[in-house]
Amino acid sequence: MTYCVGLCLKDGLVFLSDTRTNAGVDQIGTFRKMSIFQNANDRFFAIMSSGNLAITQSVKEILLQGQLFKGKNLWTAKNSYEAATVVGDAIKQVYERDHLALEQSGFEFNCNMIFGGQVKGEKPRLFNIYSAGNFIEATPENCYFQIGESKYGKPILDRVLNFTTPLNLATKCALISMDSTLKSNISVGLPLDMLVYEKNSLKATKLVTLDSANPYFAMIHQLWGEKLREAFNSIAEPSWSGAHKSSDISIPAKKMGAVIINHPPSKAQMAKLRTTCKASKPVKKVASKKAVAKKKA
Amino acid sequence: MTYCVGLCLKDGLVFLSDTRTNAGVDQIGTFRKMSIFQNANDRFFAIMSSGNLAITQSVKEILLQGQLFKGKNLWTAKNSYEAATVVGDAIKQVYERDHLALEQSGFEFNCNMIFGGQVKGEKPRLFNIYSAGNFIEATPENCYFQIGESKYGKPILDRVLNFTTPLNLATKCALISMDSTLKSNISVGLPLDMLVYEKNSLKATKLVTLDSANPYFAMIHQLWGEKLREAFNSIAEPSWSGAHKSSDISIPAKKMGAVIINHPPSKAQMAKLRTTCKASKPVKKVASKKAVAKKKA
């Protein structure tokens, strides 16, 4: 599996990806899921991928070769939107080549990408590109995309992140999101590729590959669990007696009654159940014999 | 969708379930997913379900009717393990009745249950019962089960819960796990059914249906977000310059190099790409015409 998260914020972009791949539990690998395209004169792009590795590597190769789609590649696209269509076209090309054979082998054409960057004169932009090569763009209201094993790491993003979050805080947030995913799912693993793109820089100024010995990630890994437990302990326990009004858990919902408590059937009912059960047994056996006879015939 | 979590701890059991169901986004319903079976003289069971509602309701009905499987039902099973086999047998019976028709309509036979309780003389026990009617049991090392939309709420369980956690703390933990799920996924919804079973009580002493007006749940809902943000803010930001050793993020991984930065192809390479592109176009068209001709023939 994979976990990648991309953030599109007021001050720039943040990309974070893990490097674990697996085909079954007995075939675990380490493959990089982030690629960077940089022309410091006029453009900067990064792409992260999840899904079938054979597909995503082919897409990456087509982009690296600079193959032209309608005369455009990542180096000549007029803007980030056009660059996203180039990525989409590369996916469509691999689809044309492989999808029939994949279907015949019982595999889905599975390929998801987070693609973003900046072309000089434009603001930084971020896209979530799907298996069909179509895509959506991040907005100030929906400023992050996740691909792969996304659910474990979503709550922290939903709680602390918004479009105006400074890049350094957003970096911390992305790493905590990744740490929660690593903690709860072994199909996501270290090392991590972390890229912080500062608006208008048109280059990868903050780029690092982190393993468990990285001082900052080690600190996050240790401290976040502790801080969570502290936060947990600081919240009052429920009061079932209603003695503490602010933590009274005993007030029932208004529109829905309580769960019904079912009690055992009476002796007469149980006797009837036993009779029904006994009576129905021979009937079943006969039916079963008939069915066997039919089968033999 | 659904989220249910069940905990099996030193002092007893905790059950928490939401009540939202959906068949597509335009068919949202409220159905209870928890049922309780109590005979204060000798046994107490609770069951929570996720999956196809038509299946899970049928299973529940069979259990409520007290139907006998190998002469046993929930009221007469010798112990919790035997009771879990009764639940499994009820699932198998619905499978026999419905699975062919479901398959023909393109539906999976989808039914997951968390079942637990106590029979006098035994300790409290908790089971995760699958669509095939088979099941696993919680242990002190693996003291919780989740069914349905389980991933958002897993990190907090993994961080703060263990077998010796007191029941009141575990109740808080289950509610925070549910709150994280509610925050990140609209297919899980209020009200909630919460049951805390105290070891050897053989009855539902702490049972409540909570909506957003419940003082304790409202407090959790408001405070947990705040506390998370506080915890988040209390962790240092990454230091890219390496000036702060404890928060230095710039130390690269040992076994894996940095992400390669790809630069634009040379002018000569670009010219070649353009030529290849132009040269290949007519060939493609001819091939395409041939293919059409073949199709027509």
Side-chain angles (χ1 to χ4, degrees), chain A residues 73-274:
Chain A
N73 63 18
L74 291 187
W75 305 110
T76 62
K78 262 184 290 182
N79 49 47
S80 300
Y81 180 87
E82 209 171 79
T85 67
V86 167
V87 179
D89 285 339
I91 294 173
K92 287 172 196 165
Q93 188 176 93
V94 179
Y95 179 84
E96 283 307 320
R97 188 189 74 187
D98 288 347
H99 85 278
L100 273 180
L102 281 169
E103 274 165 28
Q104 281 161 6
S105 303
F107 291 103
E108 218 186 333
F109 186 86
N110 182 9
C111 164
N112 284 288
M113 306 255 170
I114 294 176
F115 172 75
Q118 185 174 20
V119 173
K120 206 174 178 176
E122 263 199 330
K123 63 180 190 338
R125 298 171 75 171
L126 188 74
F127 302 88
N128 189 357
I129 308 181
Y130 303 111
S131 293
N134 61 335
F135 51 83
I136 56 171
E137 182 173 0
T139 64
E141 299 75 37
N142 293 278
C143 62
Y144 71 86
F145 289 131
Q146 303 170 289
I147 53 176
E149 217 18 292
S150 62
K151 295 183 181 182
Y152 306 105
K154 191 169 187 286
I156 185 67
L157 300 172
D158 288 338
R159 302 277 189 181
V160 310
L161 193 79
N162 65 59
F163 183 65
T164 60
T165 304
L167 286 181
N168 230 18
L169 278 183
T171 302
K172 177 167 67 165
C173 180
L175 285 170
I176 290 174
S177 172
M178 179 64 82
D179 184 54
S180 298
T181 310
L182 292 167
K183 173 93 181 155
S184 289
N185 191 310
I186 59 154
S187 77
V188 176
L190 297 172
L192 311 174
D193 286 322
M194 171 109 239
L195 165 67
V196 179
Y197 172 76
E198 289 162 319
K199 190 175 170 176
N200 301 333
S201 67
L202 299 176
K203 59 188 176 193
T205 44
K206 292 176 174 170
L207 175 64
V208 67
T209 299
L210 310 123
D211 60 13
S212 60
N214 181 281
Y216 190 66
F217 187 68
M219 185 184 78
I220 291 262
H221 184 65
Q222 188 214 325
L223 267 191
W224 183 245
E226 279 176 28
K227 296 284 179 186
L228 265 192
R229 281 184 288 273
E230 274 174 29
F232 178 77
N233 290 329
S234 75
I235 293 181
E237 292 181 31
S239 161
W240 285 93
S241 66
H244 302 279
K245 282 203 172 167
S246 66
S247 57
D248 186 359
I249 196 175
S250 67
I251 310 258
K254 273 188 184 155
K255 288 190 184 167
M256 196 163 178
V259 181
I260 291 167
I261 297 181
N262 298 289
H263 294 283
S266 63
K267 279 187 182 172
Q269 282 169 320
M270 272 304 289
K272 205 176 161 190
L273 279 167
R274 287 213 174 86

Side-chain angles (χ1 to χ4, degrees), chain B residues 88-104:
Chain B
D89 285 340
I91 295 174
K92 287 172 196 165
Q93 187 176 93
V94 179
Y95 179 83
E96 283 307 320
R97 188 189 74 188
D98 288 348
H99 85 280
L100 273 179
L102 281 168
E103 275 166 28
Q104 282 162 5

